Amino acid sequence: MIDLAQLRREPDFVKAALARRGVSHETMDAILELDSRHRRLLQEAESLRAQVKDLSRQVGEARRVKADDAAESLSTNSREIGERERVASEASDLVAADLRARLLMIPNLPSRETPDGLDESANVEVRRWWLGMDEGADFPTFMAHQRVAHWETARELGILDLEAGAKLAGSMFPLYRGDGSRLLRALSFFALDRHRDSYEEIRPPSVALTETMMSTGHLPKSADDMYEVPRDDLWLIPTAEVPLTSMHRGEILDEAVLPIRLTALTACFRREAGAAGRDTRGLLRVHEFDKVELFAYCTPDQAEAAHADILARAEGLLRELGLTYRVLELCAGDLGTSAARTIDLEVYSPGVDKWLEVSSVSWFRDFQARRANVRFRSARGTQFVHTVNGSALAWARVWAALVETYRQADGTVRLPEVLAPYFGDLTIRSKP
RNA sequence: GGAGGGAUGACAGAGCGGCCGAAUGUACCGGUCUUGAAAACCGGCGUGGGCUUGCCCACCGUGGGUUCAAAUCCCACUCCCUCCGCCA
């Protein structure tokens, strides 16, 4: 949630920032108008309530000295004012609810680093990396045997059964088998081990309450993108960011414990509403995938370094795996609701000849902390923490890129050496 | 699923209709004392909101209700603890 006080204090600045991501000035003016109406009604209600409290005190006093007539007339008076207070409060609450509902729909202010632009075409490519680049090698030329889509290779090798997944849960719910399933597990274990030095591993629930979804900004805006369990007021998590952000919901943390760095492996569920038919073959876009997430609660001063660390770790994994990737600075119009700044990592998948998003590293400033009410106490008083997070990494697409990149001329897949401790024999062959 | 107990400030723990936003202790911060520290003593010490910046309002698990007045009474819900049942 954006800071209402800031909107009041510097409306032009906030409106200009939000205009960069398509929020109209009229929308913000309506909020300011509601805010001032709310404050007027609130003042009225509060002053009436102050009168009721004062009279009630006098009633008590009168009773004590046995002045029953006085007590009776004071309490009648108080009852009448109480009626008016009730009316004023209801009016105030109504406006407050409207104001809050609108405020929850407003996205975060883009950071200074975020370039202008209304959609993904305006994202800025920051750099590319490929194996050997650091030694001066040119962008790789992929061989014909690497130009085979992962779903073809996977069928030949028997490591992915999309038909079976569709039978069980519908299309875009993949079922991995044999070495395909082992590869998935190897990747998660590999990543979690790499983060052990400074991130505490968490295994959160895979479902979250509506209230929890509100904290990260996934609700109310993105309800259509998520799976709901209405009977229990639960939602399947679209990312570990959801539970991790709410771990300290409502708490005031000691400055000394920050930054709190967490990592979690979870399944992620996404309905992908509105994306039907777009890049949906194989593992390009699926409803359920495993992801290792990195997350930090930090002070505003620590946020930049925490963001950079997550990005470096996500990139580090891709480099260790020897995959070709590029780094994109998202433009204002392509940012997620809660993000002030986001850097995406896209891996190059030679078989399908596409760049696939495998990580999104975001800085939320205090937007989520304000919603989740996570603060910290310091010498300068109590303030909201900053949250940052990023995938390291989302495995379905990495799995696809690995199978395509490391496909050999003989049709087998030879995985990179770093996976040896997690996978054993690195060659995936078709089983007789 | 059934029965009972509980939820109060950073923590422990009183209060059970009327100056209670809340006793007391611990922790924490400042001061006195001390060569220094500890102890002792003195003072301070929740969060958020509104406006005339001094005052007002809200918050005692959550949401309703009763009352002139609710941390205190009533109802519902959530979570925690104990016991019984069931179960991977």
Side-chain angles (χ1 to χ4, degrees), chain A residues 12-27:
Chain A
D12 295 335
F13 173 82
V14 174
K15 282 193 262 185
L18 288 172
R20 292 180 65 206
R21 43 188 312 179
V23 178
S24 74
H25 286 217
E26 289 72 29
T27 302

Side-chain angles (χ1 to χ4, degrees), chain A residues 107 166 264 296 316 320 334 346 370 395 425:
Chain A
E320 283 200 77
D334 204 29
E346 294 186 343
R370 183 171 288 107
W395 299 123
D425 177 12

Side-chain angles (χ1 to χ4, degrees), chain A residues 9 11 15 19 89 126 143 163 167 169-170 181-182 218 256 276 280 331 363 374 405 423:
Chain A
R9 206 176 332 114
K15 282 193 262 185
S89 279
V126 179
M143 303 290 143
E163 291 74 17
K167 178 158 73 181
S181 180
R182 287 181 59 232
H218 288 89
T280 53
C331 74
W363 172 40
V374 184
T405 303
F423 197 82

Side-chain angles (χ1 to χ4, degrees), chain A residues 250-309:
Chain A
E251 295 179 19
I252 300 179
L253 305 165
D254 193 330
E255 185 173 22
V257 307
L258 299 175
I260 295 174
R261 287 189 274 233
L262 307 171
T263 181
L265 163 63
T266 68
C268 301
F269 300 91
R270 303 190 179 179
R271 292 188 65 227
E272 301 293 349
R278 251 179 80 200
D279 295 337
T280 53
R281 293 205 63 183
L283 296 173
L284 296 180
R285 183 182 299 277
V286 288
H287 288 313
E288 176 181 349
F289 58 92
D290 282 356
K291 175 163 69 62
V292 168
E293 183 77 357
L294 292 172
F295 181 96
Y297 295 93
C298 46
T299 68
D301 290 343
Q302 297 165 339
E304 191 177 345
H307 185 259
D309 184 61

Side-chain angles (χ1 to χ4, degrees), chain A residues 140-200:
Chain A
T141 320
F142 293 93
M143 303 290 143
H145 63 258
Q146 293 173 291
R147 296 296 188 181
V148 177
H150 60 274
W151 54 85
E152 305 285 356
T153 306
R155 197 200 331 265
E156 288 164 17
L157 299 178
I159 54 178
L160 182 68
D161 193 339
L162 297 171
E163 291 74 17
K167 178 158 73 181
L168 301 175
S171 69
M172 293 163 70
F173 280 96
L175 183 149
Y176 302 85
R177 59 194 306 170
D179 282 346
S181 180
R182 287 181 59 232
L183 172 56
L184 205 57
R185 174 157 59 90
L187 289 167
S188 289
F189 278 40
F190 159 66
L192 288 169
D193 279 353
R194 289 297 188 270
H195 304 320
R196 274 185 66 187
D197 59 314
S198 44
Y199 289 75
E200 182 187 0

Side-chain angles (χ1 to χ4, degrees), chain A residues 42 53 55 65 68 126 131 137 142 146 152 161 190 247 296 307 315 320 326 358 386-387 397-398 414 431:
Chain A
L42 189 65
K53 288 181 68 167
L55 286 167
V65 300
D68 287 345
V126 179
L131 204 55
F142 293 93
Q146 293 173 291
E152 305 285 356
D161 193 339
F190 159 66
M247 252 180 82
H307 185 259
E315 281 195 67
E320 283 200 77
R326 65 180 184 182
V358 292
H386 278 204
T387 53
R397 290 170 179 166
V398 171
R414 169 77 188 173
K431 303 291 176 283

